[in-house]
Amino acid sequence: AEAAAARVALGDMAGASQLGGIAAPAVLRALAEHGPADRAAAVAALSLLPADAVLAPAVAALSDDDATVRTAAVVAVAALAGEKAVSDLVGLLGDADDTVRRTTAATLAGLGKSGLIAVKEALADPRPDVRAAVMETVGTLETVEPKLVTAIAQRVATDKSAAVRATGLRVLAGAIGLKGMDLIASRLREDESATVRQVAAELIGQLAPKGADAMLVPALGDAYSEVRDAALASLKQVGWQPKGSVSKATVALAAQDWRTLKSIGEDAASMVAQVLQERDTDKSGQIKRAEAMMTLAAIGGPVAEAATTTAFQDASPRVRVAGCDAAGRLGLASVANELVALLERDPDSR
């Protein structure tokens, strides 16, 4: 016992633990009395001592204020209790510290069937941040069990949290690659969250499946610029080259290349007119709609003429002014009454 105390005093927790059960009191005192670094070393040493003497203190260390100590406790409790440790460890899958979460998930995954079940059940935790954290942690595992892959895929398809769905897509791409492409492509087409669609577009570019261009080109018309930008970047990544005026217009619109759109002419008009249906209230969205209106004025034709009426109704004065300017450039006598009404109610357009 004196030798164990001496080793603990010198900071040699591992050396003390090699003395066996007689070292337990000295190591436990260090766990109770020392700072975080010594407590973490003491917890790690517990895994080398008889379980009946030290399991309870190791479990208590799972609640330590210091993340390093909690991380060491996860490993120690698993070493001391084996598969019986699952119930004590599962709560740490939602720990605030990333290292604790990762260590817990990796440890549980190595504790047999019950450990894997615990990780799978944590994917259904009522807290979205916990579900996302568990997914991120699963993604760091060297091998992801098929049952976990299935559970994550279900979450990607049905979870109410966009953060969870986006995280799940990344994890699936890393775990199963092209085998997850159908789900990734469906999220790009159908997901209500622009963040999820953006992630899906990025992953398609990274995985470069056959037919990637067919998946990505429709996203160039997405209402959100971050999705369009991701789709355009991924198309470049897979070596896609636009062919024909419609494809060129699609790419130009995604890049807000108004000069190219003007040069394409009427084949681009309908796509440009769709921009005026967007309702972003930030400055960039207002500028985009105003530029779209002026591009249509340069192209001319019936689509441009109809678009002026849409511009008159826009919430942004910048866009309404662009509509007035376009009507003048197009010589639209047909909208004279609308212009008069607009001028009467809207001093910003005068």
Side-chain angles (χ1 to χ4, degrees):
E2 291 179 1
R7 287 183 178 276
V8 168
L10 293 171
D12 184 8
M13 301 293 178
S17 67
Q18 291 175 3
L19 297 175
I22 61 171
V27 174
L28 292 176
R29 279 197 300 274
L31 183 57
E33 300 171 0
H34 289 216
D38 284 342
R39 292 204 308 278
V43 170
L46 293 180
S47 64
L48 303 174
L49 296 173
D52 57 353
V54 298
L55 178 57
V59 170
L62 294 171
S63 302
D64 195 279
D65 291 339
D66 186 81
T68 305
V69 178
R70 296 198 301 277
T71 301
V74 169
V75 177
V77 170
L80 291 166
E83 197 165 344
K84 293 180 181 179
V86 169
S87 59
D88 291 315
L89 298 181
V90 68
L92 277 82
L93 286 170
D95 195 275
D97 184 82
D98 181 63
T99 300
V100 176
R101 293 196 304 269
R102 292 175 187 272
T103 302
T104 302
T107 301
L108 285 170
L111 288 179
K113 182 178 179 180
S114 59
L116 288 172
I117 290 173
V119 175
K120 181 179 177 181
E121 289 177 347
L123 292 172
D125 189 283
R127 296 162 293 179
D129 57 332
V130 172
R131 298 197 299 276
V134 172
M135 282 187 179
E136 287 178 353
T137 305
V138 169
T140 67
L141 299 178
E142 190 170 332
T143 302
V144 181
E145 291 289 329
K147 289 184 178 179
L148 288 181
V149 170
T150 300
I152 291 172
Q154 290 173 343
R155 280 288 153 191
V156 169
T158 63
D159 202 283
K160 293 182 179 179
S161 166
V164 172
R165 298 196 302 276
T167 299
L169 280 180
R170 293 191 183 97
V171 172
L172 286 176
I176 59 175
L178 291 172
K179 292 180 181 178
M181 188 49 59
D182 286 347
L183 181 57
I184 294 171
S186 73
R187 290 303 89 200
L188 177 58
R189 292 192 308 269
E190 303 167 7
D191 204 282
E192 64 183 17
S193 165
T195 299
V196 177
R197 297 197 302 276
Q198 177 185 351
V199 169
E202 292 169 350
L203 292 173
I204 292 171
Q206 293 168 19
L207 296 173
K210 184 178 180 181
D213 53 346
M215 302 176 194
L216 292 165
V217 168
L220 294 175
D222 196 278
Y224 288 81
S225 60
E226 56 265 39
V227 181
R228 296 193 300 270
D229 291 345
L232 185 58
S234 288
L235 281 167
K236 292 178 179 178
Q237 202 169 350
V238 300
W240 178 75
Q241 294 294 328
K243 297 178 181 178
S245 58
V246 174
S247 293
K248 291 178 181 178
T250 303
V251 173
L253 184 58
Q256 295 186 41
D257 181 357
W258 307 112
R259 179 178 297 182
T260 297
L261 289 164
K262 291 173 185 176
S263 70
I264 293 172
E266 290 192 4
D267 284 345
S270 294
M271 292 184 200
V272 177
Q274 289 176 2
V275 173
L276 292 170
Q277 302 299 325
E278 298 176 10
R279 289 294 178 263
D280 293 344
T281 57
D282 59 359
K283 185 177 179 180
S284 62
Q286 296 176 44
I287 292 174
K288 179 185 176 184
R289 295 198 298 280
E291 290 283 2
M293 187 66 259
M294 297 314 298
T295 298
L296 287 169
I299 292 173
V303 174
E305 294 176 10
T308 58
T309 299
T310 303
F312 294 162
Q313 306 301 320
D314 199 281
S316 167
R318 186 191 298 267
V319 181
R320 296 197 298 272
V321 168
C324 293
D325 190 9
R329 294 188 182 209
L330 293 167
L332 297 182
S334 60
V335 298
N337 291 335
E338 292 180 74
L339 278 172
V340 170
L342 181 62
L343 289 170
E344 289 176 349
R345 74 172 188 270
D346 187 1
D348 290 320
S349 301
R350 292 178 184 175

